[in-house]
mmCIF file of all heavy atoms in Angstrom:
data_model
loop_
_atom_site.group_PDB
_atom_site.id
_atom_site.type_symbol
_atom_site.label_atom_id
_atom_site.label_comp_id
_atom_site.label_asym_id
_atom_site.label_seq_id
_atom_site.Cartn_x
_atom_site.Cartn_y
_atom_site.Cartn_z
ATOM 1 N N MET S 1 0.834 -1.160 0.052
ATOM 2 C CA MET S 1 -0.044 0.018 0.041
ATOM 3 C C MET S 1 0.865 1.239 0.002
ATOM 4 O O MET S 1 1.920 1.387 0.642
ATOM 5 C CB MET S 1 -0.902 0.061 1.273
ATOM 6 C CG MET S 1 -1.858 -1.125 1.231
ATOM 7 S SD MET S 1 -3.167 -1.006 0.102
ATOM 8 C CE MET S 1 -4.441 -0.086 0.947
ATOM 9 N N THR S 2 0.388 2.231 -0.760
ATOM 10 C CA THR S 2 1.184 3.561 -0.961
ATOM 11 C C THR S 2 0.240 4.632 -0.573
ATOM 12 O O THR S 2 -0.880 4.659 -0.944
ATOM 13 C CB THR S 2 1.740 3.757 -2.225
ATOM 14 O OG1 THR S 2 2.389 2.485 -2.632
ATOM 15 C CG2 THR S 2 2.570 4.927 -2.410
ATOM 16 N N LYS S 3 0.753 5.531 0.245
ATOM 17 C CA LYS S 3 -0.029 6.713 0.558
ATOM 18 C C LYS S 3 0.275 7.897 -0.439
ATOM 19 O O LYS S 3 1.489 8.036 -0.837
ATOM 20 C CB LYS S 3 0.293 7.280 2.055
ATOM 21 C CG LYS S 3 -0.535 6.525 3.063
ATOM 22 C CD LYS S 3 -0.265 7.242 4.399
ATOM 23 C CE LYS S 3 -1.018 6.500 5.520
ATOM 24 N NZ LYS S 3 -0.670 7.115 6.848
ATOM 25 N N TRP S 4 -0.833 8.559 -0.843
ATOM 26 C CA TRP S 4 -0.733 9.700 -1.720
ATOM 27 C C TRP S 4 -1.312 10.910 -1.043
ATOM 28 O O TRP S 4 -2.429 10.762 -0.463
ATOM 29 C CB TRP S 4 -1.325 9.282 -3.042
ATOM 30 C CG TRP S 4 -0.686 8.193 -3.692
ATOM 31 C CD1 TRP S 4 -1.010 6.871 -3.415
ATOM 32 C CD2 TRP S 4 0.283 8.205 -4.628
ATOM 33 N NE1 TRP S 4 -0.237 6.058 -4.258
ATOM 34 C CE2 TRP S 4 0.591 6.831 -5.003
ATOM 35 C CE3 TRP S 4 1.050 9.216 -5.326
ATOM 36 C CZ2 TRP S 4 1.598 6.491 -5.932
ATOM 37 C CZ3 TRP S 4 1.987 8.844 -6.310
ATOM 38 C CH2 TRP S 4 2.311 7.463 -6.539
ATOM 39 N N ARG S 5 -0.808 11.982 -1.352
ATOM 40 C CA ARG S 5 -1.309 13.329 -0.828
ATOM 41 C C ARG S 5 -2.141 13.899 -1.960
ATOM 42 O O ARG S 5 -1.601 14.169 -2.968
ATOM 43 C CB ARG S 5 -0.226 14.217 -0.434
ATOM 44 C CG ARG S 5 -0.771 15.483 0.280
ATOM 45 C CD ARG S 5 -0.282 15.530 1.687
ATOM 46 N NE ARG S 5 -0.910 16.566 2.450
ATOM 47 C CZ ARG S 5 -1.743 16.322 3.478
ATOM 48 N NH1 ARG S 5 -1.899 15.101 4.004
ATOM 49 N NH2 ARG S 5 -2.405 17.319 4.110
ATOM 50 N N LEU S 6 -3.455 13.953 -1.685
ATOM 51 C CA LEU S 6 -4.367 14.537 -2.681
ATOM 52 C C LEU S 6 -4.885 15.843 -2.163
ATOM 53 O O LEU S 6 -5.024 16.151 -0.983
ATOM 54 C CB LEU S 6 -5.623 13.558 -2.793
ATOM 55 C CG LEU S 6 -5.300 12.092 -3.280
ATOM 56 C CD1 LEU S 6 -6.491 11.442 -3.439
ATOM 57 C CD2 LEU S 6 -4.446 12.087 -4.515
ATOM 58 N N LYS S 7 -5.242 16.669 -3.149
ATOM 59 C CA LYS S 7 -5.963 17.928 -2.876
ATOM 60 C C LYS S 7 -7.219 17.970 -3.662
ATOM 61 O O LYS S 7 -7.148 18.002 -4.934
ATOM 62 C CB LYS S 7 -5.047 19.111 -3.227
ATOM 63 C CG LYS S 7 -5.595 20.459 -2.836
ATOM 64 C CD LYS S 7 -4.666 21.612 -3.143
ATOM 65 C CE LYS S 7 -5.284 22.887 -2.722
ATOM 66 N NZ LYS S 7 -4.316 23.945 -2.988
ATOM 67 N N CYS S 8 -8.411 18.154 -3.021
ATOM 68 C CA CYS S 8 -9.606 18.323 -3.690
ATOM 69 C C CYS S 8 -9.741 19.554 -4.475
ATOM 70 O O CYS S 8 -9.452 20.652 -3.870
ATOM 71 C CB CYS S 8 -10.803 18.129 -2.668
ATOM 72 S SG CYS S 8 -12.390 18.465 -3.306
ATOM 73 N N GLU S 9 -10.095 19.599 -5.687
ATOM 74 C CA GLU S 9 -10.131 20.714 -6.453
ATOM 75 C C GLU S 9 -11.394 21.534 -6.127
ATOM 76 O O GLU S 9 -11.476 22.739 -6.694
ATOM 77 C CB GLU S 9 -9.993 20.426 -8.036
ATOM 78 C CG GLU S 9 -8.754 19.845 -8.357
ATOM 79 C CD GLU S 9 -8.562 19.563 -9.833
ATOM 80 O OE1 GLU S 9 -9.512 19.823 -10.555
ATOM 81 O OE2 GLU S 9 -7.492 19.097 -10.309
ATOM 82 N N GLU S 10 -12.298 20.982 -5.512
ATOM 83 C CA GLU S 10 -13.512 21.789 -5.155
ATOM 84 C C GLU S 10 -13.463 22.472 -3.803
ATOM 85 O O GLU S 10 -13.790 23.690 -3.661
ATOM 86 C CB GLU S 10 -14.763 20.865 -5.175
ATOM 87 C CG GLU S 10 -15.083 20.463 -6.577
ATOM 88 C CD GLU S 10 -16.493 20.257 -6.830
ATOM 89 O OE1 GLU S 10 -17.288 20.747 -6.103
ATOM 90 O OE2 GLU S 10 -16.853 19.749 -8.011
ATOM 91 N N CYS S 11 -12.951 21.772 -2.769
ATOM 92 C CA CYS S 11 -12.898 22.398 -1.434
ATOM 93 C C CYS S 11 -11.465 22.767 -1.024
ATOM 94 O O CYS S 11 -11.255 23.380 -0.021
ATOM 95 C CB CYS S 11 -13.542 21.507 -0.362
ATOM 96 S SG CYS S 11 -12.653 19.903 -0.117
ATOM 97 N N SER S 12 -10.556 22.322 -1.863
ATOM 98 C CA SER S 12 -9.079 22.686 -1.597
ATOM 99 C C SER S 12 -8.496 22.139 -0.284
ATOM 100 O O SER S 12 -7.414 22.442 0.038
ATOM 101 C CB SER S 12 -8.883 24.182 -1.532
ATOM 102 O OG SER S 12 -9.137 24.753 -2.809
ATOM 103 N N ARG S 13 -9.180 21.130 0.204
ATOM 104 C CA ARG S 13 -8.604 20.400 1.377
ATOM 105 C C ARG S 13 -7.675 19.320 0.902
ATOM 106 O O ARG S 13 -7.827 18.758 -0.147
ATOM 107 C CB ARG S 13 -9.721 19.704 2.168
ATOM 108 C CG ARG S 13 -10.488 20.752 3.007
ATOM 109 C CD ARG S 13 -11.453 19.985 3.981
ATOM 110 N NE ARG S 13 -12.044 20.820 4.946
ATOM 111 C CZ ARG S 13 -13.252 21.338 4.739
ATOM 112 N NH1 ARG S 13 -14.015 21.131 3.629
ATOM 113 N NH2 ARG S 13 -13.747 22.139 5.639
ATOM 114 N N GLU S 14 -6.614 19.190 1.695
ATOM 115 C CA GLU S 14 -5.655 18.124 1.385
ATOM 116 C C GLU S 14 -5.824 16.997 2.322
ATOM 117 O O GLU S 14 -6.025 17.209 3.558
ATOM 118 C CB GLU S 14 -4.254 18.661 1.467
ATOM 119 C CG GLU S 14 -3.926 19.747 0.556
ATOM 120 C CD GLU S 14 -2.385 20.199 0.699
ATOM 121 O OE1 GLU S 14 -1.643 19.575 1.241
ATOM 122 O OE2 GLU S 14 -2.160 21.260 0.177
ATOM 123 N N TRP S 15 -5.689 15.774 1.837
ATOM 124 C CA TRP S 15 -5.801 14.594 2.662
ATOM 125 C C TRP S 15 -5.027 13.309 1.967
ATOM 126 O O TRP S 15 -4.500 13.529 0.841
ATOM 127 C CB TRP S 15 -7.314 14.075 2.846
ATOM 128 C CG TRP S 15 -8.179 13.958 1.494
ATOM 129 C CD1 TRP S 15 -8.701 15.029 0.760
ATOM 130 C CD2 TRP S 15 -8.474 12.897 0.813
ATOM 131 N NE1 TRP S 15 -9.386 14.522 -0.305
ATOM 132 C CE2 TRP S 15 -9.261 13.147 -0.315
ATOM 133 C CE3 TRP S 15 -8.241 11.507 1.153
ATOM 134 C CZ2 TRP S 15 -9.688 12.157 -1.138
ATOM 135 C CZ3 TRP S 15 -8.765 10.504 0.149
ATOM 136 C CH2 TRP S 15 -9.444 10.909 -0.911
ATOM 137 N N GLU S 16 -4.984 12.352 2.725
ATOM 138 C CA GLU S 16 -4.111 11.270 2.261
ATOM 139 C C GLU S 16 -4.935 10.009 1.890
ATOM 140 O O GLU S 16 -5.905 9.630 2.578
ATOM 141 C CB GLU S 16 -3.102 10.881 3.323
ATOM 142 C CG GLU S 16 -1.989 11.867 3.540
ATOM 143 C CD GLU S 16 -1.168 11.692 4.778
ATOM 144 O OE1 GLU S 16 -1.252 10.542 5.325
ATOM 145 O OE2 GLU S 16 -0.446 12.545 5.103
ATOM 146 N N LEU S 17 -4.561 9.361 0.834
ATOM 147 C CA LEU S 17 -5.222 8.189 0.303
ATOM 148 C C LEU S 17 -4.273 7.048 0.215
ATOM 149 O O LEU S 17 -3.169 7.223 -0.320
ATOM 150 C CB LEU S 17 -5.758 8.469 -1.202
ATOM 151 C CG LEU S 17 -6.501 7.274 -1.818
ATOM 152 C CD1 LEU S 17 -7.700 6.816 -1.271
ATOM 153 C CD2 LEU S 17 -6.678 7.624 -3.299
ATOM 154 N N GLU S 18 -4.699 5.928 0.780
ATOM 155 C CA GLU S 18 -3.874 4.738 0.765
ATOM 156 C C GLU S 18 -4.405 3.788 -0.383
ATOM 157 O O GLU S 18 -5.573 3.300 -0.133
ATOM 158 C CB GLU S 18 -3.835 4.068 2.082
ATOM 159 C CG GLU S 18 -2.592 3.227 2.264
ATOM 160 C CD GLU S 18 -2.552 2.758 3.823
ATOM 161 O OE1 GLU S 18 -3.569 2.409 4.344
ATOM 162 O OE2 GLU S 18 -1.357 2.938 4.364
ATOM 163 N N VAL S 19 -3.635 3.491 -1.331
ATOM 164 C CA VAL S 19 -4.117 2.518 -2.439
ATOM 165 C C VAL S 19 -2.978 1.566 -2.775
ATOM 166 O O VAL S 19 -1.859 1.813 -2.333
ATOM 167 C CB VAL S 19 -4.536 3.310 -3.625
ATOM 168 C CG1 VAL S 19 -5.745 4.150 -3.421
ATOM 169 C CG2 VAL S 19 -3.298 4.194 -4.115
ATOM 170 N N SER S 20 -3.470 0.567 -3.394
ATOM 171 C CA SER S 20 -2.349 -0.454 -3.783
ATOM 172 C C SER S 20 -1.811 -0.328 -5.161
ATOM 173 O O SER S 20 -1.032 -1.123 -5.619
ATOM 174 C CB SER S 20 -3.046 -1.861 -3.652
ATOM 175 O OG SER S 20 -4.192 -1.908 -4.400
ATOM 176 N N PHE S 21 -2.291 0.703 -5.843
ATOM 177 C CA PHE S 21 -1.811 0.892 -7.204
ATOM 178 C C PHE S 21 -1.022 2.276 -7.297
ATOM 179 O O PHE S 21 -1.118 3.128 -6.383
ATOM 180 C CB PHE S 21 -2.880 0.838 -8.250
ATOM 181 C CG PHE S 21 -4.120 1.582 -7.891
ATOM 182 C CD1 PHE S 21 -4.191 2.906 -8.278
ATOM 183 C CD2 PHE S 21 -5.141 1.182 -7.100
ATOM 184 C CE1 PHE S 21 -5.471 3.732 -8.058
ATOM 185 C CE2 PHE S 21 -6.318 1.909 -6.789
ATOM 186 C CZ PHE S 21 -6.381 3.121 -7.167
ATOM 187 N N ASP S 22 -0.384 2.435 -8.365
ATOM 188 C CA ASP S 22 0.513 3.599 -8.582
ATOM 189 C C ASP S 22 -0.217 4.659 -9.271
ATOM 190 O O ASP S 22 -0.787 4.539 -10.307
ATOM 191 C CB ASP S 22 1.629 3.126 -9.511
ATOM 192 C CG ASP S 22 2.830 4.229 -9.600
ATOM 193 O OD1 ASP S 22 2.656 5.240 -9.026
ATOM 194 O OD2 ASP S 22 3.860 3.931 -10.232
ATOM 195 N N LEU S 23 -0.247 5.832 -8.517
ATOM 196 C CA LEU S 23 -1.025 6.916 -9.136
ATOM 197 C C LEU S 23 0.005 7.983 -9.846
ATOM 198 O O LEU S 23 -0.486 9.067 -10.346
ATOM 199 C CB LEU S 23 -1.676 7.789 -8.000
ATOM 200 C CG LEU S 23 -2.801 6.949 -7.202
ATOM 201 C CD1 LEU S 23 -3.386 7.907 -6.122
ATOM 202 C CD2 LEU S 23 -3.940 6.489 -8.176
ATOM 203 N N SER S 24 1.188 7.572 -9.865
ATOM 204 C CA SER S 24 2.192 8.558 -10.464
ATOM 205 C C SER S 24 2.008 8.805 -11.998
ATOM 206 O O SER S 24 2.493 9.830 -12.510
ATOM 207 C CB SER S 24 3.673 8.020 -10.183
ATOM 208 O OG SER S 24 3.802 6.818 -10.904
ATOM 209 N N GLU S 25 1.311 7.976 -12.629
ATOM 210 C CA GLU S 25 0.982 8.169 -14.086
ATOM 211 C C GLU S 25 -0.111 9.174 -14.256
ATOM 212 O O GLU S 25 -0.393 9.592 -15.250
ATOM 213 C CB GLU S 25 0.731 6.896 -14.679
ATOM 214 C CG GLU S 25 1.888 5.883 -14.797
ATOM 215 C CD GLU S 25 1.613 4.541 -15.391
ATOM 216 O OE1 GLU S 25 0.553 4.410 -16.153
ATOM 217 O OE2 GLU S 25 2.248 3.637 -15.191
ATOM 218 N N PHE S 26 -0.874 9.498 -13.115
ATOM 219 C CA PHE S 26 -2.030 10.302 -13.303
ATOM 220 C C PHE S 26 -1.674 11.719 -12.799
ATOM 221 O O PHE S 26 -0.844 11.827 -11.875
ATOM 222 C CB PHE S 26 -3.242 9.773 -12.486
ATOM 223 C CG PHE S 26 -3.587 8.415 -12.871
ATOM 224 C CD1 PHE S 26 -3.051 7.260 -12.336
ATOM 225 C CD2 PHE S 26 -4.620 8.350 -13.766
ATOM 226 C CE1 PHE S 26 -3.576 6.079 -12.753
ATOM 227 C CE2 PHE S 26 -5.048 7.020 -14.173
ATOM 228 C CZ PHE S 26 -4.452 5.979 -13.634
ATOM 229 N N SER S 27 -2.184 12.684 -13.276
ATOM 230 C CA SER S 27 -1.975 14.085 -12.795
ATOM 231 C C SER S 27 -3.262 14.515 -11.878
ATOM 232 O O SER S 27 -3.146 15.271 -10.988
ATOM 233 C CB SER S 27 -1.899 15.145 -13.875
ATOM 234 O OG SER S 27 -3.102 14.996 -14.730
ATOM 235 N N ARG S 28 -4.246 13.807 -12.115
ATOM 236 C CA ARG S 28 -5.517 14.062 -11.163
ATOM 237 C C ARG S 28 -6.357 12.868 -11.057
ATOM 238 O O ARG S 28 -6.245 12.005 -12.002
ATOM 239 C CB ARG S 28 -6.259 15.272 -11.716
ATOM 240 C CG ARG S 28 -6.938 15.118 -13.057
ATOM 241 C CD ARG S 28 -6.933 16.527 -13.764
ATOM 242 N NE ARG S 28 -7.861 17.466 -13.136
ATOM 243 C CZ ARG S 28 -9.062 17.769 -13.661
ATOM 244 N NH1 ARG S 28 -9.439 17.309 -14.780
ATOM 245 N NH2 ARG S 28 -9.784 18.646 -13.094
ATOM 246 N N LEU S 29 -7.128 12.740 -10.048
ATOM 247 C CA LEU S 29 -7.909 11.529 -9.800
ATOM 248 C C LEU S 29 -9.326 11.872 -9.300
ATOM 249 O O LEU S 29 -9.571 12.872 -8.574
ATOM 250 C CB LEU S 29 -7.237 10.818 -8.625
ATOM 251 C CG LEU S 29 -7.880 9.524 -8.175
ATOM 252 C CD1 LEU S 29 -7.678 8.433 -9.090
ATOM 253 C CD2 LEU S 29 -7.221 9.211 -6.748
ATOM 254 N N TYR S 30 -10.271 11.248 -10.004
ATOM 255 C CA TYR S 30 -11.571 11.330 -9.679
ATOM 256 C C TYR S 30 -12.028 10.466 -8.482
ATOM 257 O O TYR S 30 -11.944 9.227 -8.663
ATOM 258 C CB TYR S 30 -12.538 11.211 -10.863
ATOM 259 C CG TYR S 30 -13.960 11.590 -10.812
ATOM 260 C CD1 TYR S 30 -14.235 13.017 -10.643
ATOM 261 C CD2 TYR S 30 -15.023 10.833 -10.791
ATOM 262 C CE1 TYR S 30 -15.512 13.476 -10.625
ATOM 263 C CE2 TYR S 30 -16.286 11.221 -10.756
ATOM 264 C CZ TYR S 30 -16.562 12.526 -10.574
ATOM 265 O OH TYR S 30 -17.862 13.023 -10.523
ATOM 266 N N HIS S 31 -12.285 10.982 -7.431
ATOM 267 C CA HIS S 31 -12.393 10.239 -6.137
ATOM 268 C C HIS S 31 -13.422 10.819 -5.247
ATOM 269 O O HIS S 31 -13.577 12.069 -5.258
ATOM 270 C CB HIS S 31 -11.115 10.040 -5.503
ATOM 271 C CG HIS S 31 -11.017 8.890 -4.517
ATOM 272 N ND1 HIS S 31 -11.498 8.905 -3.254
ATOM 273 C CD2 HIS S 31 -10.566 7.609 -4.616
ATOM 274 C CE1 HIS S 31 -11.307 7.908 -2.574
ATOM 275 N NE2 HIS S 31 -10.675 6.956 -3.482
ATOM 276 N N TYR S 32 -14.017 9.982 -4.297
ATOM 277 C CA TYR S 32 -14.941 10.541 -3.345
ATOM 278 C C TYR S 32 -14.094 11.437 -2.378
ATOM 279 O O TYR S 32 -13.154 11.057 -1.826
ATOM 280 C CB TYR S 32 -15.561 9.418 -2.647
ATOM 281 C CG TYR S 32 -16.567 9.867 -1.570
ATOM 282 C CD1 TYR S 32 -17.866 10.231 -1.952
ATOM 283 C CD2 TYR S 32 -16.234 9.870 -0.274
ATOM 284 C CE1 TYR S 32 -18.793 10.626 -1.051
ATOM 285 C CE2 TYR S 32 -17.143 10.311 0.733
ATOM 286 C CZ TYR S 32 -18.436 10.629 0.222
ATOM 287 O OH TYR S 32 -19.476 11.128 1.249
ATOM 288 N N CYS S 33 -14.692 12.625 -2.053
ATOM 289 C CA CYS S 33 -14.129 13.565 -1.119
ATOM 290 C C CYS S 33 -15.125 13.581 0.001
ATOM 291 O O CYS S 33 -16.302 13.831 -0.101
ATOM 292 C CB CYS S 33 -14.084 14.980 -1.731
ATOM 293 S SG CYS S 33 -13.553 16.242 -0.408
ATOM 294 N N ARG S 34 -14.591 13.221 1.280
ATOM 295 C CA ARG S 34 -15.492 13.165 2.425
ATOM 296 C C ARG S 34 -15.771 14.506 2.884
ATOM 297 O O ARG S 34 -16.780 14.628 3.697
ATOM 298 C CB ARG S 34 -14.694 12.314 3.541
ATOM 299 C CG ARG S 34 -13.499 12.832 3.970
ATOM 300 C CD ARG S 34 -12.934 11.968 5.122
ATOM 301 N NE ARG S 34 -11.588 12.362 5.581
ATOM 302 C CZ ARG S 34 -10.426 11.822 5.049
ATOM 303 N NH1 ARG S 34 -10.549 10.961 3.941
ATOM 304 N NH2 ARG S 34 -9.263 12.277 5.446
ATOM 305 N N PHE S 35 -15.149 15.467 2.507
ATOM 306 C CA PHE S 35 -15.437 16.937 2.920
ATOM 307 C C PHE S 35 -16.618 17.426 2.006
ATOM 308 O O PHE S 35 -17.558 18.025 2.503
ATOM 309 C CB PHE S 35 -14.291 17.787 2.838
ATOM 310 C CG PHE S 35 -13.110 17.248 3.647
ATOM 311 C CD1 PHE S 35 -12.005 16.674 2.992
ATOM 312 C CD2 PHE S 35 -13.189 17.338 5.083
ATOM 313 C CE1 PHE S 35 -10.899 16.246 3.877
ATOM 314 C CE2 PHE S 35 -12.127 16.883 5.847
ATOM 315 C CZ PHE S 35 -10.968 16.338 5.298
ATOM 316 N N CYS S 36 -16.498 17.176 0.769
ATOM 317 C CA CYS S 36 -17.598 17.567 -0.158
ATOM 318 C C CYS S 36 -18.710 16.618 -0.162
ATOM 319 O O CYS S 36 -19.864 16.918 -0.705
ATOM 320 C CB CYS S 36 -17.004 17.710 -1.583
ATOM 321 S SG CYS S 36 -15.790 18.899 -1.872
ATOM 322 N N ARG S 37 -18.488 15.447 0.278
ATOM 323 C CA ARG S 37 -19.409 14.272 0.223
ATOM 324 C C ARG S 37 -19.902 13.975 -1.091
ATOM 325 O O ARG S 37 -21.092 13.697 -1.329
ATOM 326 C CB ARG S 37 -20.629 14.594 1.276
ATOM 327 C CG ARG S 37 -20.149 14.779 2.622
ATOM 328 C CD ARG S 37 -21.320 15.051 3.609
ATOM 329 N NE ARG S 37 -20.956 15.264 4.999
ATOM 330 C CZ ARG S 37 -21.758 15.604 5.901
ATOM 331 N NH1 ARG S 37 -23.099 15.802 5.628
ATOM 332 N NH2 ARG S 37 -21.291 15.706 7.118
ATOM 333 N N LYS S 38 -18.973 14.031 -1.984
ATOM 334 C CA LYS S 38 -19.303 13.595 -3.384
ATOM 335 C C LYS S 38 -17.989 13.325 -4.085
ATOM 336 O O LYS S 38 -16.944 13.620 -3.610
ATOM 337 C CB LYS S 38 -20.118 14.709 -4.073
ATOM 338 C CG LYS S 38 -19.299 16.004 -4.189
ATOM 339 C CD LYS S 38 -20.227 17.019 -4.928
ATOM 340 C CE LYS S 38 -19.354 18.233 -5.171
ATOM 341 N NZ LYS S 38 -20.113 19.283 -5.957
ATOM 342 N N ASN S 39 -18.109 12.782 -5.264
ATOM 343 C CA ASN S 39 -16.881 12.534 -6.111
ATOM 344 C C ASN S 39 -16.466 13.875 -6.784
ATOM 345 O O ASN S 39 -17.272 14.575 -7.354
ATOM 346 C CB ASN S 39 -17.224 11.379 -7.145
ATOM 347 C CG ASN S 39 -17.381 10.100 -6.572
ATOM 348 O OD1 ASN S 39 -16.696 9.728 -5.657
ATOM 349 N ND2 ASN S 39 -18.222 9.282 -7.187
ATOM 350 N N THR S 40 -15.165 14.145 -6.715
ATOM 351 C CA THR S 40 -14.661 15.352 -7.147
ATOM 352 C C THR S 40 -13.267 14.992 -7.782
ATOM 353 O O THR S 40 -12.746 13.983 -7.564
ATOM 354 C CB THR S 40 -14.417 16.476 -6.190
ATOM 355 O OG1 THR S 40 -13.429 15.894 -5.199
ATOM 356 C CG2 THR S 40 -15.689 16.773 -5.401
ATOM 357 N N TYR S 41 -12.775 16.035 -8.602
ATOM 358 C CA TYR S 41 -11.439 15.822 -9.110
ATOM 359 C C TYR S 41 -10.360 16.336 -7.918
ATOM 360 O O TYR S 41 -10.624 17.232 -7.248
ATOM 361 C CB TYR S 41 -11.183 16.575 -10.291
ATOM 362 C CG TYR S 41 -11.712 15.963 -11.525
ATOM 363 C CD1 TYR S 41 -12.853 16.365 -12.144
ATOM 364 C CD2 TYR S 41 -10.952 14.927 -12.168
ATOM 365 C CE1 TYR S 41 -13.381 15.750 -13.272
ATOM 366 C CE2 TYR S 41 -11.485 14.206 -13.182
ATOM 367 C CZ TYR S 41 -12.773 14.552 -13.798
ATOM 368 O OH TYR S 41 -13.164 14.027 -14.841
ATOM 369 N N HIS S 42 -9.251 15.496 -7.883
ATOM 370 C CA HIS S 42 -8.305 15.722 -6.837
ATOM 371 C C HIS S 42 -6.924 15.857 -7.639
ATOM 372 O O HIS S 42 -6.646 14.966 -8.519
ATOM 373 C CB HIS S 42 -8.169 14.627 -5.908
ATOM 374 C CG HIS S 42 -9.344 14.495 -4.888
ATOM 375 N ND1 HIS S 42 -10.464 14.028 -5.405
ATOM 376 C CD2 HIS S 42 -9.379 14.834 -3.677
ATOM 377 C CE1 HIS S 42 -11.320 13.997 -4.270
ATOM 378 N NE2 HIS S 42 -10.700 14.557 -3.312
ATOM 379 N N ALA S 43 -6.068 16.952 -7.207
ATOM 380 C CA ALA S 43 -4.771 16.948 -7.694
ATOM 381 C C ALA S 43 -3.983 16.010 -6.875
ATOM 382 O O ALA S 43 -4.174 15.832 -5.718
ATOM 383 C CB ALA S 43 -4.277 18.332 -7.459
ATOM 384 N N ILE S 44 -3.030 15.220 -7.508
ATOM 385 C CA ILE S 44 -2.190 14.363 -6.839
ATOM 386 C C ILE S 44 -0.889 15.099 -6.502
ATOM 387 O O ILE S 44 -0.033 15.402 -7.432
ATOM 388 C CB ILE S 44 -1.936 13.095 -7.665
ATOM 389 C CG1 ILE S 44 -3.207 12.373 -8.076
ATOM 390 C CG2 ILE S 44 -1.051 12.153 -7.043
ATOM 391 C CD1 ILE S 44 -3.132 11.352 -9.133
ATOM 392 N N LEU S 45 -0.681 15.412 -5.266
ATOM 393 C CA LEU S 45 0.383 16.368 -4.897
ATOM 394 C C LEU S 45 1.714 15.569 -4.745
ATOM 395 O O LEU S 45 2.672 16.082 -5.108
ATOM 396 C CB LEU S 45 -0.017 17.071 -3.690
ATOM 397 C CG LEU S 45 -1.122 17.949 -3.595
ATOM 398 C CD1 LEU S 45 -1.462 18.615 -2.359
ATOM 399 C CD2 LEU S 45 -1.111 19.032 -4.734
ATOM 400 N N ALA S 46 1.695 14.489 -3.975
ATOM 401 C CA ALA S 46 3.032 13.840 -3.686
ATOM 402 C C ALA S 46 2.690 12.388 -3.269
ATOM 403 O O ALA S 46 1.585 11.914 -2.788
ATOM 404 C CB ALA S 46 3.584 14.570 -2.511
ATOM 405 N N LYS S 47 3.706 11.557 -3.439
ATOM 406 C CA LYS S 47 3.782 10.194 -2.816
ATOM 407 C C LYS S 47 4.409 10.301 -1.474
ATOM 408 O O LYS S 47 5.417 10.935 -1.302
ATOM 409 C CB LYS S 47 4.548 9.303 -3.813
ATOM 410 C CG LYS S 47 4.720 7.930 -3.341
ATOM 411 C CD LYS S 47 5.509 7.135 -4.418
ATOM 412 C CE LYS S 47 5.802 5.614 -4.016
ATOM 413 N NZ LYS S 47 6.600 4.903 -5.031
ATOM 414 N N ILE S 48 3.794 9.490 -0.473
ATOM 415 C CA ILE S 48 4.298 9.669 0.759
ATOM 416 C C ILE S 48 4.914 8.223 1.140
ATOM 417 O O ILE S 48 4.237 7.299 1.255
ATOM 418 C CB ILE S 48 3.108 9.988 1.803
ATOM 419 C CG1 ILE S 48 2.489 11.275 1.490
ATOM 420 C CG2 ILE S 48 3.691 10.027 3.240
ATOM 421 C CD1 ILE S 48 1.170 11.528 2.174
ATOM 422 N N ASP S 49 6.117 8.291 1.392
ATOM 423 C CA ASP S 49 6.877 7.086 1.729
ATOM 424 C C ASP S 49 6.673 6.791 3.196
ATOM 425 O O ASP S 49 6.925 7.678 4.038
ATOM 426 C CB ASP S 49 8.413 7.140 1.334
ATOM 427 C CG ASP S 49 8.531 7.320 -0.103
ATOM 428 O OD1 ASP S 49 8.009 6.555 -0.830
ATOM 429 O OD2 ASP S 49 9.313 8.135 -0.579
ATOM 430 N N SER S 50 6.301 5.555 3.523
ATOM 431 C CA SER S 50 6.135 5.187 4.909
ATOM 432 C C SER S 50 7.222 4.209 5.415
ATOM 433 O O SER S 50 7.988 3.732 4.622
ATOM 434 C CB SER S 50 4.741 4.717 5.137
ATOM 435 O OG SER S 50 4.456 3.652 4.263
HETATM 436 ZN ZN1 ZN G 101 -13.651 18.286 -1.508
#
């Protein structure tokens, strides 16, 4: 599992997503935002090494 720092493009909040696949090929990700409570586009800011 890898953690990624995402930023919601609608509410501008940053949060971390843990997934088993590589997001580095993507520049943005359509994903559920728990702050907006809906699916939104997220900028992929960084990979977090644990
Ligand atoms: Zn949001």
Side-chain angles (χ1 to χ4, degrees):
M1 299 289 272
T2 308
K3 276 188 182 176
W4 298 85
R5 189 113 190 119
L6 302 182
K7 182 178 182 180
C8 175
E9 294 185 358
E10 293 218 7
C11 66
S12 296
R13 285 188 172 91
E14 294 182 17
W15 54 279
E16 290 170 10
L17 174 70
E18 204 171 45
V19 291
S20 57
F21 49 92
D22 191 355
L23 297 180
S24 62
E25 294 177 21
F26 300 87
S27 57
R28 61 211 293 253
L29 180 71
Y30 195 63
H31 197 278
Y32 183 79
C33 174
R34 60 180 173 269
F35 303 105
C36 296
R37 295 182 184 174
K38 62 178 182 179
N39 288 325
T40 63
Y41 279 104
H42 291 74
I44 300 167
L45 299 181
K47 179 180 179 180
I48 301 167
D49 294 314
S50 52

